[in-house]
Amino acid sequence: MMLLSVLQANASVMDVEANLRTIDDAAQRAAHAGAGLLLTPELFPVGYAPLRLHAELDPATLPGIRERLAGIARRHSIGLVYSLPAAKETSHDDGAEPASAVGRWHITATLLDASGNEVLNYAKVHLFGPEEHKAFVGAQEPPAVVDFNGIRTSMLICYDVEFPEAVRAAATRGAELLLVPTALSAGFENVPQVLIRARALESQLNVAYANHSGHEDIYSFLGGSVVAGPDGSLLAAAGESPALLFAEVGTDTVNAAREEVPYLRERRPELYDRWEQGGNR
C-alpha cells in the first residue's frame, strides 16, 4: 500500500515562481503526512493557457523548471508527477519544422522518484479543443508502465482518460495505478463524478485525477479531483476549491477485483477488431 496525495490548486499563467511555490508547499505537506507520491495538474508549473504558452513560453526555460521540480522531490523525499510542454522529437529529414518550435510540442507528464530521478514519461495522445490543437501535437506512443513503490504505475493526461481504449492499454500492460494530470473546465462534472470511476472499474485499477481550480487565462476550472479504486469506489474527492487529497492505493484491491470479475482475462480483442473493421466472420 502507498499513501497517494493529489494537488488541486489554481495556477498563475506564466508565473513559474508562484506555481513552483504551490507545488513545493504541497510536497512538504504531503511528505509530512507520509505520502509517497504527489500528483499535480496538467501544465501546472506554467499554467494552463495553450495559446499563451505557444506565444510566450521560451523553450530554453524548460530544463531549469524540470531541475527545480526534481529538487522539490529530493528536498521532501517524495515522488512527484508534473506536466509540462516538451519538444516533439523529429528527424532532420522529415520536412517538419524544428522540434524546438512551440507548435511542435507535446503536452507531457513526468514521474519522479523521491530522489528526483525521472522514472516514467508520457506524452498526451488526445488533444482537446481548438486551442490545444493549435498549440500542441498529439503523440502516438502507448502508456508505459513502471514499478513505483511496489505498485505497477502508468500515466495518461486529461482527455486521454475519457477514452476507454487508452485506460485499457495501460491495464493490459499491467498497470495497477493510473496517474492523470488534468485541466478540466467547469461544466463537465460527469467526467470526475461518473467517468473516472467507470474507467477504474472496467479496467480494475486505481485512478488518480488531479485538476486545476479557479480561473486561469480564459478558462474556468471545475476542480472535482478524485481518486477511484479498482471496484469503482470513491477513495477521495475534492470540491471546487484548492485542496490536497489523500488516498491509500495498492495492489491487493486490484488483485481482488480482477479475481472476482476477470474482465482483463476474458477480453476477446480479436473479435472486437473484426467488429470495428465491419467483418462478420
Side-chain angles (χ1 to χ4, degrees):
M1 296 290 289
M2 177 180 69
L3 183 64
L4 167 73
S5 55
V6 175
L7 173 64
Q8 175 172 293
N10 181 227
S12 298
V13 175
M14 298 300 298
D15 190 343
V16 173
E17 294 298 326
N19 299 332
L20 292 185
R21 285 196 298 270
T22 299
I23 294 174
D24 185 68
D25 176 70
Q28 181 180 36
R29 289 187 288 142
H32 187 263
L37 176 65
L38 172 65
L39 172 64
T40 67
E42 182 181 13
L43 294 175
F44 191 87
V46 291
Y48 183 87
L51 295 182
R52 281 193 61 188
L53 297 181
H54 186 283
E56 301 174 27
L57 184 61
D58 181 357
T61 64
L62 288 171
I65 296 172
R66 292 178 180 276
E67 181 50 44
R68 293 181 65 184
L69 287 159
I72 290 173
R74 285 193 298 269
R75 183 161 57 253
H76 301 294
S77 296
I78 190 171
L80 176 65
V81 173
Y82 66 81
S83 171
L84 280 172
K88 176 185 182 294
E89 293 185 2
T90 56
S91 64
H92 293 295
D93 58 356
D94 66 358
E97 62 185 296
S100 60
V102 178
R104 302 296 300 173
W105 281 6
H106 293 309
I107 300 174
T108 69
T110 298
L111 170 61
L112 304 176
D113 66 17
S115 297
N117 302 309
E118 293 188 8
V119 295
L120 184 62
N121 289 285
Y122 173 77
K124 188 174 185 177
V125 171
H126 302 90
L127 301 178
F128 182 81
E131 290 83 6
E132 282 194 8
H133 281 278
K134 289 176 183 176
F136 299 103
V137 177
Q140 298 186 32
E141 292 301 311
V145 179
V146 297
D147 189 293
F148 184 82
N149 290 359
I151 303 172
R152 299 289 290 166
T153 301
S154 188
M155 295 189 295
L156 295 174
I157 299 175
C158 196
Y159 194 36
D160 286 327
V161 78
E162 299 182 36
F163 294 80
E165 298 88 348
V167 180
R168 187 56 58 84
T172 56
R173 286 165 172 79
E176 299 162 327
L177 171 62
L178 186 63
L179 304 169
V180 187
T182 194
L184 183 73
S185 296
F188 293 96
E189 289 81 1
N190 278 344
V191 174
Q193 294 175 13
V194 178
L195 190 147
I196 297 300
R197 296 176 68 178
R199 292 291 170 268
L201 172 61
E202 69 194 6
S203 285
Q204 299 170 311
L205 74 176
N206 299 285
V207 180
Y209 186 79
N211 195 20
H212 297 247
S213 61
H215 302 277
E216 298 172 31
D217 196 52
I218 61 173
Y219 303 95
S220 296
F221 291 104
L222 174 68
S225 301
V226 295
V227 183
D231 58 355
S233 60
L234 191 62
L235 303 182
E240 296 180 357
S241 302
L244 187 63
L245 302 180
F246 293 92
E248 291 276 359
V249 295
T251 61
D252 289 348
T253 53
V254 171
N255 293 336
R258 292 177 179 179
E259 185 61 31
E260 181 178 14
V261 183
Y263 288 138
L264 299 182
R265 290 202 309 269
E266 295 186 348
R267 292 170 61 247
R268 300 182 63 185
E270 70 291 337
L271 182 61
Y272 311 147
D273 286 344
R274 288 211 305 272
W275 289 352
E276 288 197 0
Q277 294 165 12
N280 57 11
R281 290 187 297 169

